[in-house]
Amino acid sequence: MKSNRPLITFVAMHADIVDLRQFYHSELGRLAEQSIAMALSSLWVRLPQERLVGLGYAVPFLDRFQADTERTFAFMPAGQGAVNWPMGSLSTTALVFDEELPLPDSSIDRVLMVHSLEFAESPRETLKELWRVLAPGGRLVIVVPNRRGVWARMEHTPFGSGRPYSRGQLTNLLRETNFTPGATAEALFFPPSKLRTILRLRRAFERIGRTLWPAFSGVIIVEAQKRLYQGLPVAARASRRVFVPVLAPHGVPTTRTTAPRVF
C-alpha cells in the first residue's frame, strides 16, 4: 500500500561562527582544543612544504600545524560564517560551499576537517569533492563527534550539534568515496562540564579513558588517504546553488512597447 506521508530528511544546521569562537575562547573550549590537538599529533605525519586546507572551523588547530606547510588555507562553510585568519597577517580565509571548493584538481596535500562533516548537507558529495582537490597520495584527517560519547548529547558545546558518527559509519563513508582509512585516535574523555573541579581532573580522565573506555570518547579522529586504483564514476553533478555576483550591474530591464495604431 502506497503511503502519502512526506519523506522527512535530516538537515544539519551549521554551528554559527560567533558561537564557535566563544566556545574556543572559554576555559572548556581551550581544554577541549588541547585534548584534540594531542590526539591529532599522535597521527599527524609531518610533510614538509605541504599545502594544507582546514575545512569547517579548524583555526585553533591550523595555528599548531601551519609552521611546516608551504601554505595553509582556512575554508569556512557559507552556512557557518567566516573570520579572518591568521590574526595580524594577510588573511587566508575563504567562504566556501563544501561541495564546490574553489580549487583545481589535485592541488592540495592534506585537508583537516573540524566542525565540518557533521554539518554537511551531503557528506558523500563533500568527500567526493575533497577527493578531487587532493593530490595523489593526499591525506584527509577528520574530527567528528562520537555518537556514543557524552559530548554529542550536550548542546552547550559545538560537538552537540550536527550529525554524530560511529567509527564504523565513518569508515564505510570513507571507503564509499574512494578513501583508504588509516590511523585513528580518540579525544575528549572528560565530561563537558564547566565546573572547575571536573576540569582539574581532565588529564586523569583522558589518560584513563583511552585505556578503559575508548569507544565512548567525545570525538573520533580518522586519517584517510586518497585511493587511486579505483576510479570514481564519471557523472555530471549539477550544482544545487545559484551564484549571483554581489557587485554585478543588472541594468535597467527593457520592455517591448507597441506603438498605438492610428485609424
Side-chain angles (χ1 to χ4, degrees):
M1 183 174 179
K2 188 175 182 180
S3 174
N4 293 323
R5 289 185 296 178
L7 179 64
I8 300 175
T9 57
F10 174 78
V11 178
M13 298 295 291
H14 280 276
D16 187 81
I17 190 66
V18 175
D19 297 332
L20 288 165
R21 290 188 67 183
Q22 288 179 347
F23 172 73
Y24 281 102
H25 280 93
S26 68
E27 184 177 8
L28 178 60
R30 288 193 296 269
L31 294 178
E33 175 195 340
Q34 293 173 13
S35 175
I36 295 172
M38 185 178 299
L40 275 171
S41 62
S42 67
L43 53 80
W44 192 273
V45 179
R46 293 185 179 274
L47 300 175
Q49 297 301 302
E50 68 178 350
R51 292 153 293 177
L52 170 65
V53 166
L55 181 59
Y57 189 74
V59 165
F61 311 99
L62 295 181
D63 286 329
R64 296 173 179 265
F65 297 115
Q66 69 163 331
D68 296 329
T69 65
E70 175 195 340
R71 65 191 67 184
T72 302
F73 298 100
F75 282 5
M76 302 187 187
Q80 167 193 288
V83 292
N84 286 329
W85 180 88
M87 297 295 292
S89 182
L90 294 176
S91 178
T92 60
T93 297
L95 195 66
V96 302
F97 294 118
D98 52 10
E99 296 176 21
E100 297 173 1
L101 300 178
L103 292 169
D105 296 353
S106 303
S107 58
I108 298 298
D109 299 303
R110 183 168 358 204
V111 176
L112 172 62
M113 299 182 73
V114 186
H115 301 300
S116 175
L117 189 64
E118 63 267 33
F119 299 113
E121 182 179 343
S122 175
R124 285 176 177 80
E125 292 298 318
T126 297
L127 290 180
K128 287 178 182 179
E129 179 69 354
L130 293 177
W131 188 96
R132 180 187 69 81
V133 303
L134 277 168
R139 298 172 183 270
L140 170 64
V141 181
I142 304 176
V143 180
V144 289
N146 181 5
R147 64 180 301 181
R148 294 184 177 181
V150 177
W151 286 72
R153 306 172 192 276
M154 302 293 180
E155 295 184 354
H156 64 281
T157 81
F159 301 99
S161 302
R163 182 191 300 106
Y165 286 84
S166 68
R167 189 184 303 276
Q169 288 175 327
L170 190 55
T171 299
N172 290 336
L173 182 60
L174 286 166
R175 286 174 176 162
E176 289 172 6
T177 51
N178 241 8
F179 285 95
T180 301
T184 63
E186 300 86 18
L188 300 185
F189 291 97
F190 66 98
S193 171
K194 297 180 181 179
L195 297 175
R196 291 186 176 274
T197 306
I198 299 296
L199 296 180
R200 289 194 191 101
L201 299 174
R202 175 186 65 89
R203 295 183 183 275
F205 274 112
E206 293 293 296
R207 185 175 61 254
I208 297 172
R210 288 191 181 92
T211 304
L212 298 183
W213 55 83
F216 299 99
S217 61
V219 296
I220 301 169
I221 304 171
V222 175
E223 183 194 45
Q225 195 164 25
K226 178 176 179 175
R227 190 167 61 199
L228 296 176
Y229 57 82
Q230 179 184 352
L232 289 173
V234 177
R237 289 195 294 157
S239 173
R240 293 192 294 272
R241 319 221 180 243
V242 178
F243 298 91
V244 179
V246 177
L247 301 178
H250 295 285
V252 179
T254 59
T255 58
R256 177 180 290 181
T257 58
T258 304
R261 289 185 175 184
V262 178
F263 295 93

